Amino acid sequence: MSFLAIALVLLSATIHATWNLLAHSQKLSGTLLLRFHWLTGLVGLIPILLGELKGNPLPPAAWGLVVLTGLLQSFYFLGLMMGYRNGNFSIVYPVARALPILFLAFFDVARGQFPSPVGWLGIILVLIGCILIPLKSLRTIKLADYWNKSTIWILMIMFATVGYTAVDKLASEILTPGAEASARYAFLQAIFTVPFLWIVLKLIEEPMDKETGLASWKWSALFAFFVFISYWLMLWAFQLSPYISYLSALRQFSLVIGVLFAGLFLKEKVPPLRIGAAAVIVLGMFCISQAS
């Protein structure tokens, strides 16, 4: 795997974990979710139009894929918002982000891209780390660590992540290679997420007429920047490797950061076992970085 692809994924993971920490600390709301998506789309209108008019339009198939991604992203953000309201950050974030790796490995296999033995070892190590992360101790394993009021939202995040990641990988393969086309696709994703997200928030009767102060707008702008950059870097990385499972597993560096952030900044209790699980994830990431 190229150094550029690894660098893009690790940078994306760091930014992703950072904005998730901020989202949890700021009590992620429907208003904030909608606002930072349409702010991103508003900023992206000019790049989108310039790209389409200067003779480098997105392929027709990419438009259908980005609409589908918008739908799937709306469920991802709904699950994220509700998961953070009902669960421990250091459990909700790692489990929801890591479980899709196995499904995406099967997606690679189905497309004829078989991970190497070292690659499979890395994937398995990451999964083991993810299984251990919710536990406080191996001597106190109980169903409640995995099955609680956050579980339904974790499952929603997981399946939405598998869906939009697979769709984005397909889109990346038909886009013009490079950062510019990936950025335009990322801007479009934000635009198409807005109507779907509005619908699902209405269905759960989420209040969306609050947080009108200047401070809330500042947070919306900050989230818009972080979310866009993180998503754009992954789209770009998707163009540099045929293995979506490798890239998704490497992105679980954000899990390690998420656990550390939870302990350092949110003052959540992070048991030694959880730290050890994060180390296993890092070892798995190293294996994947060495896989062919």
Side-chain angles (χ1 to χ4, degrees):
M1 189 179 301
S2 72
F3 173 79
L4 178 58
I6 294 174
L8 290 173
V9 174
L10 294 184
L11 180 57
S12 172
T14 302
I15 296 171
H16 188 88
T18 301
W19 89 255
N20 271 266
L21 170 69
L22 294 174
H24 181 70
S25 64
Q26 292 300 309
K27 308 301 181 186
L28 192 62
S29 67
T31 301
L32 187 59
L33 286 173
L34 277 174
R35 190 179 290 164
F36 77 66
H37 275 96
W38 70 251
L39 280 174
T40 302
L42 184 64
V43 172
L45 280 177
I46 293 178
I48 291 170
L49 291 174
L50 287 177
E52 294 298 307
L53 295 175
K54 74 177 185 178
N56 185 28
L58 296 179
W63 288 86
L65 292 172
V66 77
V67 171
L68 180 56
T69 288
L71 172 63
L72 294 167
Q73 287 271 9
S74 69
F75 286 103
Y76 167 77
F77 282 105
L78 172 63
L80 195 68
M81 179 183 73
M82 298 304 294
Y84 284 170
R85 288 180 183 176
N86 294 283
N88 186 311
F89 176 77
S90 58
I91 296 178
V92 172
Y93 181 80
V95 173
R97 291 299 307 172
L99 288 179
I101 297 172
L102 184 61
F103 292 93
L104 293 171
F106 293 148
F107 179 77
D108 274 343
V109 170
R111 301 177 70 221
Q113 302 289 351
F114 293 88
S116 68
V118 174
W120 277 114
L121 174 62
I123 291 170
I124 292 171
L125 286 172
V126 170
L127 288 173
I128 290 173
C130 297
I131 292 171
L132 294 177
I133 270 183
L135 301 177
K136 298 178 179 66
S137 169
L138 290 176
R139 291 174 295 183
T140 59
I141 298 177
K142 56 183 182 296
L143 184 61
D145 288 316
Y146 297 95
W147 188 264
N148 51 58
K149 58 185 178 180
S150 296
T151 302
I152 184 64
W153 305 114
I154 290 174
L155 291 174
M156 180 178 288
I157 297 170
M158 180 184 71
F159 286 113
T161 298
V162 171
Y164 80 71
T165 303
V167 171
D168 288 344
K169 175 57 177 171
L170 295 175
S172 72
E173 295 175 353
I174 61 175
L175 296 176
T176 302
E180 188 265 344
S182 296
R184 281 192 283 137
Y185 183 93
F187 280 128
L188 280 171
Q189 174 272 321
I191 292 172
F192 286 114
T193 298
V194 170
F196 293 119
L197 184 59
W198 182 86
I199 291 171
V200 297
L201 291 174
K202 278 292 186 181
L203 289 175
I204 66 167
E205 299 182 345
E206 170 73 10
M208 290 181 282
D209 55 354
K210 298 180 179 180
E211 304 176 43
T212 57
L214 179 60
S216 67
W217 281 96
K218 290 180 179 178
W219 280 111
S220 297
L222 185 62
F223 282 134
F225 176 77
F226 279 164
V227 174
F228 170 77
I229 296 296
S230 176
Y231 184 63
W232 165 50
L233 292 175
M234 282 304 298
L235 286 171
W236 188 2
F238 284 162
Q239 295 185 317
L240 302 175
S241 172
Y243 295 100
I244 190 174
S245 55
Y246 288 178
L247 295 172
S248 297
L250 283 177
R251 200 186 189 197
Q252 304 324 308
F253 181 60
S254 62
L255 305 181
V256 179
I257 297 173
V259 171
L260 293 176
F261 279 5
L264 294 174
F265 300 111
L266 299 181
K267 305 304 180 183
E268 294 182 359
K269 292 183 179 180
V270 182
L273 179 60
R274 212 166 281 172
I275 297 174
V280 173
I281 292 172
V282 171
L283 179 60
M285 289 169 52
F286 175 76
C287 293
I288 290 168
S289 70
Q290 302 301 307
S292 57

